[in-house]
Amino acid sequence: MKRTIRYALYTATLTAGALGALVFVPGQLAFSADHLDPPMRADPAVDTTPDIPADIADIYAFHDATNLYLIYTFGGPAAPNLPAFYDRDVLYTINVSTSLPATSADVSIRFRFGPGSNPGEWGISVENVPGVNGAIVGPVEQMLSKDGVRVYAGLRDDPFFFDSQGLRESRNTGTIRFDKNRNFFGAKNITTVALEIPRSRLGSNGNASLDVWALSARLGGQL
């Protein structure tokens, strides 16, 4: 499963937007996956045994004057009463291309989850983060720090916004029926991994254009 975005880093004064000082600067339209996609592997309405932990939801990338923020979400949308989806047999990767061609993975940040010594405990190991000596390892639901990089993994409110009812009505009627006050994901949760990395570690003093894409792979084969 794969999801791709493209954006650019700039040193000019940033304009405050929905994320305050953190501004997403879009580039070009790119191939992507999303929640419950591909349906034959991830959508419960199509697959009776969906591989929820390997289902990429979204990949977000934005920055401020100092840091690059990468957020990888998967395993959703999930009802609020469900726990996060951790699976030791799924390998997650965030690829970053800092130079042409855009498909070159100059940085490949990989992470996996593992069970703790007590029932219900989980931890995360994040490898290949630029400027970090070894892996960042620690429990989920806590802020982890090492060599100037911060990592958080845990269950969060799904930030994606979409009016799925409006899409169905638009398709059925041939008239645009989207309502900005309806959000299918508003009461849903998502499993999230967020990284804060100094921009200077991405080359060109943090001013390079970047291509970012996410992968998930089930070790031993796809369900």
Side-chain angles (χ1 to χ4, degrees):
M1 301 179 186
K2 178 178 180 180
R3 183 172 179 83
T4 308
I5 64 172
R6 187 175 190 181
Y7 80 106
L9 295 178
Y10 294 96
T11 56
T13 302
L14 300 179
T15 302
L19 294 172
L22 307 180
V23 178
F24 172 75
V25 184
Q28 63 188 35
L29 183 65
F31 295 107
S32 66
D34 57 13
H35 304 73
L36 311 180
D37 187 33
M40 69 289 298
R41 293 183 179 178
D43 190 346
V46 179
D47 183 359
T48 57
T49 58
D51 194 356
I52 297 176
D55 179 23
I56 301 172
D58 295 290
I59 178 74
Y60 301 92
F62 49 91
H63 69 91
D64 58 19
T66 305
N67 297 307
L68 168 67
Y69 302 89
L70 300 172
I71 302 175
Y72 186 128
T73 65
F74 61 93
N81 62 330
L82 294 178
F85 290 95
Y86 304 125
D87 191 324
R88 67 186 306 168
D89 293 325
V90 179
L91 175 65
Y92 304 90
T93 304
I94 300 176
N95 286 318
V96 182
S97 177
T98 61
S99 60
L100 295 176
T103 54
S104 64
D106 300 302
V107 176
S108 292
I109 301 170
R110 299 191 298 267
F111 59 91
R112 291 179 63 185
F113 296 96
S117 56
N118 297 317
E121 289 183 345
W122 284 88
I124 187 173
S125 176
V126 185
E127 301 177 335
N128 294 342
V129 181
V132 175
N133 183 23
I136 302 173
V137 180
V140 299
E141 302 291 350
Q142 292 188 27
M143 186 66 71
L144 308 177
S145 300
K146 185 177 181 180
D147 296 336
V149 171
R150 298 201 300 171
V151 174
Y152 172 86
L155 190 67
R156 309 300 293 179
D157 180 56
D158 195 331
F160 194 75
F161 185 99
F162 188 71
D163 177 16
S164 57
Q165 178 181 337
L167 175 62
R168 291 193 300 270
E169 292 178 355
S170 298
R171 285 176 171 174
N172 293 336
T173 65
T175 303
I176 300 299
R177 299 290 296 273
F178 289 103
D179 185 341
K180 66 180 182 180
N181 296 312
R182 287 189 306 224
N183 179 20
F184 172 77
F185 298 92
K188 304 294 193 303
N189 284 339
I190 201 81
T191 308
T192 301
V193 174
L195 298 96
E196 177 188 274
I197 306 170
R199 286 175 54 178
S200 59
R201 300 185 185 179
L202 276 300
S204 301
N205 295 318
N207 301 326
S209 293
L210 306 178
D211 290 85
V212 181
W213 65 100
L215 305 173
S216 67
R218 176 162 293 284
L219 305 180
Q222 171 69 45
L223 289 178

